[in-house]
Amino acid sequence: MESYIIKCIAGIIAINEDLAIENYKLFKEDEVISNLIKIEDKEVISEEIELIDEISDKYDKIIIETTNRLSSYKEVKDYEKLITKSPNKCGDYLRENLEEILLEIKFAETKEDLKEKIIDINRKLTTAKVKKSSEEDDRLLIQAINSVDDIDESISKLVERMRDWYTVYFPEMDTIGNNETYIKLIAENDNRESILNNHPESFQDNIEESFGGDVSPEDLQMMKDFANSIYSLQNSRKQLEQYIEDKMESIAPNLKDLLGASLGAKLIAHIGSVKKLATYSASTVQIMGAEKAIFRHLKTGERPPKHGLIFQHPSVRTAKWWNRGKIARNLALKITLAVRKDVYSGEYDPQIAIDYENKIKQIEKDNPFPKKTSKRLNEEKKERKGKNKGKSKKYKGNKKNKKNKKKRRK
């Protein structure tokens, strides 16, 4: 005999194979919202364990409608009887007849009361989810890393404008390639003479006098104020970087150790949360951020992408082209291991990053030169055959043309 365990807005219900309610556990009124959130977070609640224990003696199999792993129910006394299946026939039956069943188990007295109760629970559940979402640290982290990207874009445009503007007054400054140094010199000095006297090491050549035009004190002050605004943005960016470092250390220390704070935060921002990232497979993590290339591959048959955001990691970006795919796969595997350790255990394990470094060295040692696969060799053979066919046709065509010319002459 079989019994089915199904969760709903009212509590946990056991329905037998004849679609009759065997037993149920209603949530306490003040615990309804918290229990529903726990269920969404894939937690096994006490009411579910109690109900399974109560009915386990009567049935040979207990089928639980859940996406959780079976190992989550190890606390149950007759664990060997359990099976997980989602959806199942009793779950479908409950959803199709939810109103009648909730009235039968006395969740509400009348249909009107039931509707009001369901609306009230859904409203409170939505409010609790929004509140929980706003309190999560990874949301703050996502806003911070997105702010860094926005600041970088703004600074890039503003520095370009500043260079065009200041070149009129001090063209020799354009030889300074570092934008941060360029802006800092303008912001901290009153004029070009002050820059030349106090910071001669910033220039490649010895400059005694500038060939720039003279400007009024008002124009010079405006340029200096503009440089100060950019300088302030640059300082804000540094503060945000430190903030991201600290947040990543508290939220995902293993991921930070493996990828660095910035790339780790970008990966989390791309998905939406650390918990969501922990649910993805290594193959998905590997191409995360390369969605356009994937759709192009599906549409046109082009080669699929080997990496997405993780290409920004130095080990992938600087790898030799024939090793890049192997290194990207190994990095994706270590990312899934690191982020799951961060989410589910919270323990920092430096060995993850060390093992990855050792694996990279081994890959580079084993593959110093590119290897031609059988697939690639076949492609090259086809290419050569195609070229030879073209040459032979061309040769035959030239021969025929020569014969025809001779006939015409005769």
Side-chain angles (χ1 to χ4, degrees):
M1 292 177 68
E2 296 177 351
S3 180
Y4 295 80
I5 303 295
I6 305 106
K7 308 174 191 76
C8 70
I9 197 169
I12 314 296
I13 302 175
I15 300 176
N16 62 30
E17 54 193 3
D18 298 324
L19 302 180
I21 296 172
E22 178 66 27
N23 203 342
Y24 58 88
K25 289 277 181 184
L26 295 178
F27 296 141
K28 293 177 183 176
E29 195 170 334
D30 57 341
E31 294 179 1
V32 173
I33 305 303
S34 60
N35 281 339
L36 290 173
I37 289 173
K38 284 178 184 177
I39 290 168
E40 283 195 9
D41 291 340
K42 297 189 175 182
E43 290 185 32
V44 179
I45 58 176
S46 59
E47 286 87 350
E48 189 174 7
I49 300 292
E50 289 170 11
L51 182 60
I52 294 170
D53 286 341
E54 285 178 13
I55 66 167
S56 60
D57 295 335
K58 301 178 185 178
Y59 295 94
D60 302 321
K61 288 182 183 178
I62 298 172
I63 301 166
I64 306 168
E65 188 180 63
T66 181
T67 56
N68 292 353
R69 292 182 179 180
L70 191 59
S71 58
S72 305
Y73 296 88
K74 282 184 178 178
E75 294 179 23
V76 177
K77 63 180 181 182
D78 293 326
Y79 174 70
E80 65 281 356
K81 292 183 178 181
L82 302 185
I83 298 170
T84 58
K85 186 180 179 182
S86 181
N88 59 50
K89 65 175 185 179
C90 288
D92 294 335
Y93 170 74
L94 174 67
R95 284 182 285 276
E96 288 169 6
N97 303 276
L98 184 62
E99 190 177 279
E100 291 79 6
I101 291 171
L102 291 181
L103 290 171
E104 185 181 340
I105 63 176
K106 305 298 181 184
F107 181 62
E109 296 298 327
T110 63
K111 288 185 178 182
E112 289 73 21
D113 291 340
L114 179 62
K115 286 179 182 178
E116 287 179 12
K117 210 167 185 179
I118 290 173
I119 291 168
D120 185 53
I121 289 171
N122 283 323
R123 181 180 56 78
K124 287 178 180 177
L125 184 61
T126 303
T127 305
K129 282 181 182 178
V130 171
K131 188 177 179 181
K132 184 186 173 188
S133 176
S134 64
E135 287 174 354
E136 288 177 355
D137 278 348
D138 49 2
R139 299 287 178 186
L140 302 174
L141 176 67
I142 290 166
Q143 293 302 322
I145 195 66
N146 289 338
S147 297
V148 168
D149 291 339
D150 293 339
I151 286 176
D152 283 342
E153 189 178 345
S154 300
I155 287 174
S156 177
K157 290 179 180 179
L158 293 173
V159 168
E160 189 178 347
R161 178 62 57 208
M162 185 75 249
R163 282 182 177 273
D164 290 341
W165 194 356
Y166 208 70
T167 297
V168 177
Y169 172 65
F170 194 2
E172 291 79 8
M173 277 275 285
D174 215 33
T175 58
I176 299 172
N178 188 290
N179 288 335
E180 194 173 334
T181 305
Y182 185 92
I183 297 299
K184 188 178 179 181
L185 289 174
I186 300 171
E188 293 182 349
N189 293 275
D190 294 328
N191 50 49
R192 60 193 174 195
E193 287 77 18
S194 176
I195 295 172
L196 287 172
N197 293 332
N198 299 329
H199 305 279
E201 72 283 353
S202 300
F203 301 91
Q204 294 176 356
D205 302 320
N206 292 326
I207 302 170
E208 294 180 0
E209 189 180 354
S210 174
F211 290 99
D214 293 327
V215 297
S216 67
E218 291 80 10
D219 293 331
L220 191 58
Q221 186 60 44
M222 182 53 67
M223 285 188 278
K224 182 177 167 61
D225 290 343
F226 188 58
N228 273 314
S229 300
I230 302 172
Y231 190 46
S232 176
L233 271 177
Q234 289 173 336
N235 288 330
S236 295
R237 190 193 186 284
K238 287 179 183 176
Q239 291 170 0
L240 274 171
E241 280 184 334
Q242 187 57 51
Y243 174 79
I244 290 165
E245 286 272 345
D246 297 339
K247 276 289 176 191
M248 283 295 292
E249 187 65 42
S250 64
I251 295 171
N254 291 298
L255 187 63
K256 179 199 166 191
D257 191 34
L258 182 65
L259 294 183
S262 180
L263 181 54
K266 284 179 181 177
L267 212 55
I268 292 168
H270 187 77
I271 294 303
S273 74
V274 184
K275 288 180 180 177
K276 280 185 182 178
L277 183 59
T279 62
Y280 284 88
S281 64
S283 57
T284 306
V285 170
Q286 184 180 339
I287 55 173
M288 213 168 268
E291 286 78 9
K292 288 183 180 178
I294 294 166
F295 290 135
R296 189 164 57 247
H297 157 68
L298 295 171
K299 189 177 180 181
T300 64
E302 288 184 21
R303 286 186 178 182
K306 293 180 181 178
H307 36 63
L309 279 169
I310 62 172
F311 179 74
Q312 296 177 29
H313 195 271
S315 65
V316 180
R317 190 175 63 249
T318 60
K320 293 180 174 64
W321 62 266
W322 59 88
N323 288 331
R324 200 169 284 153
K326 297 183 187 74
I327 291 171
R329 279 193 296 277
N330 277 279
L331 180 57
L333 283 167
K334 291 298 179 185
I335 288 169
T336 55
L337 176 61
V339 76
R340 284 171 188 174
K341 201 140 197 171
D342 288 327
V343 171
Y344 300 117
S345 75
E347 295 176 4
Y348 172 60
D349 185 3
Q351 196 60 39
I352 296 172
I354 294 168
D355 289 345
Y356 173 67
E357 291 296 330
N358 293 337
K359 186 66 178 177
I360 298 311
K361 289 175 185 176
Q362 191 63 42
I363 289 170
E364 290 173 344
K365 185 181 176 182
D366 294 344
N367 302 276
F369 304 106
K371 293 176 183 177
K372 288 185 178 180
T373 61
S374 57
K375 186 179 178 182
R376 181 61 185 161
L377 289 169
N378 290 334
E379 285 177 0
E380 288 181 0
K381 281 180 184 178
K382 285 178 183 179
E383 285 175 7
R384 283 197 292 271
K385 281 181 182 179
K387 286 177 183 177
N388 291 335
K389 280 181 183 179
K391 284 178 182 177
S392 61
K393 283 179 182 178
K394 193 175 180 182
Y395 178 73
K396 286 176 184 177
N398 289 338
K399 229 175 178 182
K400 284 180 182 178
N401 289 335
K402 283 178 183 178
K403 284 180 182 179
N404 290 334
K405 282 181 182 178
K406 283 180 182 179
K407 285 178 183 179
R408 285 172 196 157
R409 283 173 188 169
K410 286 175 182 180

Short mmCIF file of all heavy atoms in Angstrom, two decimals, residues 97-104 106-119:
data_model
loop_
_atom_site.label_atom_id
_atom_site.label_comp_id
_atom_site.label_asym_id
_atom_site.label_seq_id
_atom_site.Cartn_x
_atom_site.Cartn_y
_atom_site.Cartn_z
N ASN A 97 -8.57 19.93 -6.59
CA ASN A 97 -9.70 19.97 -5.66
C ASN A 97 -9.32 20.68 -4.35
O ASN A 97 -9.78 20.29 -3.27
CB ASN A 97 -10.17 18.54 -5.35
CG ASN A 97 -10.54 17.76 -6.60
OD1 ASN A 97 -11.64 17.86 -7.10
ND2 ASN A 97 -9.59 16.97 -7.10
N LEU A 98 -8.48 21.69 -4.47
CA LEU A 98 -7.91 22.34 -3.29
C LEU A 98 -8.99 22.94 -2.39
O LEU A 98 -8.97 22.76 -1.16
CB LEU A 98 -6.92 23.44 -3.72
CG LEU A 98 -6.19 24.15 -2.57
CD1 LEU A 98 -5.34 23.16 -1.78
CD2 LEU A 98 -5.32 25.29 -3.11
N GLU A 99 -9.96 23.62 -2.97
CA GLU A 99 -11.00 24.28 -2.16
C GLU A 99 -11.78 23.27 -1.33
O GLU A 99 -11.98 23.46 -0.11
CB GLU A 99 -11.94 25.06 -3.09
CG GLU A 99 -12.89 25.97 -2.35
CD GLU A 99 -13.75 26.79 -3.31
OE1 GLU A 99 -13.27 27.83 -3.82
OE2 GLU A 99 -14.90 26.37 -3.54
N GLU A 100 -12.22 22.18 -1.96
CA GLU A 100 -13.01 21.17 -1.25
C GLU A 100 -12.19 20.49 -0.15
O GLU A 100 -12.70 20.25 0.96
CB GLU A 100 -13.52 20.11 -2.24
CG GLU A 100 -14.56 20.59 -3.23
CD GLU A 100 -13.97 21.36 -4.40
OE1 GLU A 100 -12.71 21.43 -4.48
OE2 GLU A 100 -14.75 21.92 -5.19
N ILE A 101 -10.91 20.21 -0.44
CA ILE A 101 -10.06 19.52 0.54
C ILE A 101 -9.77 20.42 1.74
O ILE A 101 -9.81 19.96 2.89
CB ILE A 101 -8.76 19.03 -0.13
CG1 ILE A 101 -9.08 17.90 -1.11
CG2 ILE A 101 -7.74 18.57 0.90
CD1 ILE A 101 -7.93 17.46 -1.98
N LEU A 102 -9.49 21.70 1.49
CA LEU A 102 -9.21 22.62 2.60
C LEU A 102 -10.43 22.80 3.50
O LEU A 102 -10.29 22.96 4.71
CB LEU A 102 -8.75 23.98 2.05
CG LEU A 102 -7.37 24.00 1.38
CD1 LEU A 102 -7.03 25.41 0.91
CD2 LEU A 102 -6.29 23.47 2.29
N LEU A 103 -11.61 22.79 2.90
CA LEU A 103 -12.83 22.86 3.72
C LEU A 103 -13.04 21.56 4.50
O LEU A 103 -13.50 21.57 5.65
CB LEU A 103 -14.05 23.14 2.83
CG LEU A 103 -14.14 24.54 2.22
CD1 LEU A 103 -15.26 24.62 1.20
CD2 LEU A 103 -14.33 25.61 3.31
N GLU A 104 -12.66 20.42 3.87
CA GLU A 104 -12.83 19.12 4.54
C GLU A 104 -11.94 18.98 5.77
O GLU A 104 -12.34 18.41 6.78
CB GLU A 104 -12.52 18.01 3.53
CG GLU A 104 -12.77 16.62 4.08
CD GLU A 104 -12.43 15.53 3.07
OE1 GLU A 104 -12.35 15.84 1.85
OE2 GLU A 104 -12.22 14.38 3.50
N LYS A 106 -11.03 21.36 7.62
CA LYS A 106 -11.40 22.45 8.54
C LYS A 106 -10.37 23.60 8.59
O LYS A 106 -10.16 24.22 9.62
CB LYS A 106 -11.59 21.91 9.97
CG LYS A 106 -12.56 20.77 10.11
CD LYS A 106 -13.97 21.20 9.69
CE LYS A 106 -14.97 20.05 9.87
NZ LYS A 106 -16.31 20.41 9.40
N PHE A 107 -9.74 23.84 7.43
CA PHE A 107 -8.83 25.00 7.35
C PHE A 107 -9.64 26.30 7.41
O PHE A 107 -9.16 27.32 7.88
CB PHE A 107 -8.00 24.94 6.06
CG PHE A 107 -7.02 26.07 5.89
CD1 PHE A 107 -5.99 26.26 6.80
CD2 PHE A 107 -7.14 26.96 4.83
CE1 PHE A 107 -5.09 27.30 6.66
CE2 PHE A 107 -6.25 28.01 4.68
CZ PHE A 107 -5.22 28.18 5.59
N ALA A 108 -10.88 26.24 6.91
CA ALA A 108 -11.82 27.38 6.99
C ALA A 108 -13.24 26.81 7.05
O ALA A 108 -13.50 25.66 6.66
CB ALA A 108 -11.65 28.29 5.78
N GLU A 109 -14.17 27.63 7.56
CA GLU A 109 -15.54 27.17 7.75
C GLU A 109 -16.36 27.26 6.47
O GLU A 109 -17.15 26.36 6.15
CB GLU A 109 -16.21 28.00 8.85
CG GLU A 109 -15.58 27.83 10.22
CD GLU A 109 -15.68 26.41 10.75
OE1 GLU A 109 -16.69 25.73 10.44
OE2 GLU A 109 -14.75 25.97 11.44
N THR A 110 -16.21 28.35 5.75
CA THR A 110 -17.00 28.57 4.52
C THR A 110 -16.07 28.93 3.36
O THR A 110 -14.89 29.24 3.55
CB THR A 110 -18.01 29.71 4.71
OG1 THR A 110 -17.29 30.93 4.97
CG2 THR A 110 -18.94 29.42 5.90
N LYS A 111 -16.65 28.92 2.15
CA LYS A 111 -15.87 29.28 0.97
C LYS A 111 -15.39 30.73 1.02
O LYS A 111 -14.28 31.05 0.59
CB LYS A 111 -16.70 29.05 -0.29
CG LYS A 111 -16.91 27.58 -0.62
CD LYS A 111 -17.63 27.43 -1.95
CE LYS A 111 -17.79 25.96 -2.31
NZ LYS A 111 -18.46 25.79 -3.63
N GLU A 112 -16.25 31.61 1.56
CA GLU A 112 -15.89 33.02 1.65
C GLU A 112 -14.71 33.22 2.62
O GLU A 112 -13.76 33.95 2.33
CB GLU A 112 -17.09 33.86 2.13
CG GLU A 112 -18.21 34.02 1.12
CD GLU A 112 -19.02 32.74 0.92
OE1 GLU A 112 -18.99 31.87 1.83
OE2 GLU A 112 -19.68 32.62 -0.14
N ASP A 113 -14.78 32.50 3.77
CA ASP A 113 -13.68 32.57 4.74
C ASP A 113 -12.38 32.03 4.14
O ASP A 113 -11.30 32.57 4.38
CB ASP A 113 -14.02 31.77 6.01
CG ASP A 113 -15.14 32.42 6.82
OD1 ASP A 113 -15.37 33.63 6.62
OD2 ASP A 113 -15.77 31.72 7.63
N LEU A 114 -12.53 30.97 3.37
CA LEU A 114 -11.35 30.35 2.75
C LEU A 114 -10.66 31.31 1.78
O LEU A 114 -9.42 31.46 1.79
CB LEU A 114 -11.76 29.07 2.03
CG LEU A 114 -10.65 28.31 1.31
CD1 LEU A 114 -9.60 27.84 2.29
CD2 LEU A 114 -11.23 27.13 0.52
N LYS A 115 -11.47 31.98 0.93
CA LYS A 115 -10.90 32.94 -0.03
C LYS A 115 -10.18 34.07 0.68
O LYS A 115 -9.07 34.46 0.30
CB LYS A 115 -12.01 33.49 -0.93
CG LYS A 115 -12.49 32.50 -1.98
CD LYS A 115 -13.60 33.09 -2.83
CE LYS A 115 -14.12 32.07 -3.84
NZ LYS A 115 -15.24 32.60 -4.65
N GLU A 116 -10.82 34.62 1.73
CA GLU A 116 -10.20 35.71 2.49
C GLU A 116 -8.90 35.25 3.15
O GLU A 116 -7.90 35.99 3.17
CB GLU A 116 -11.17 36.22 3.55
CG GLU A 116 -12.33 37.03 2.99
CD GLU A 116 -13.29 37.52 4.07
OE1 GLU A 116 -12.93 37.42 5.27
OE2 GLU A 116 -14.40 37.98 3.72
N LYS A 117 -8.91 34.03 3.67
CA LYS A 117 -7.73 33.50 4.36
C LYS A 117 -6.57 33.30 3.37
O LYS A 117 -5.42 33.64 3.66
CB LYS A 117 -8.08 32.16 5.01
CG LYS A 117 -7.28 31.87 6.26
CD LYS A 117 -7.90 30.72 7.03
CE LYS A 117 -7.15 30.53 8.35
NZ LYS A 117 -7.73 29.42 9.14
N ILE A 118 -6.87 32.77 2.21
CA ILE A 118 -5.83 32.54 1.19
C ILE A 118 -5.25 33.87 0.71
O ILE A 118 -4.03 34.01 0.56
CB ILE A 118 -6.41 31.73 0.00
CG1 ILE A 118 -6.69 30.30 0.45
CG2 ILE A 118 -5.44 31.74 -1.18
CD1 ILE A 118 -7.42 29.44 -0.57
N ILE A 119 -6.12 34.85 0.47
CA ILE A 119 -5.65 36.19 0.04
C ILE A 119 -4.75 36.81 1.10
O ILE A 119 -3.69 37.37 0.81
CB ILE A 119 -6.85 37.11 -0.27
CG1 ILE A 119 -7.57 36.63 -1.54
CG2 ILE A 119 -6.39 38.56 -0.44
CD1 ILE A 119 -8.91 37.29 -1.78
#
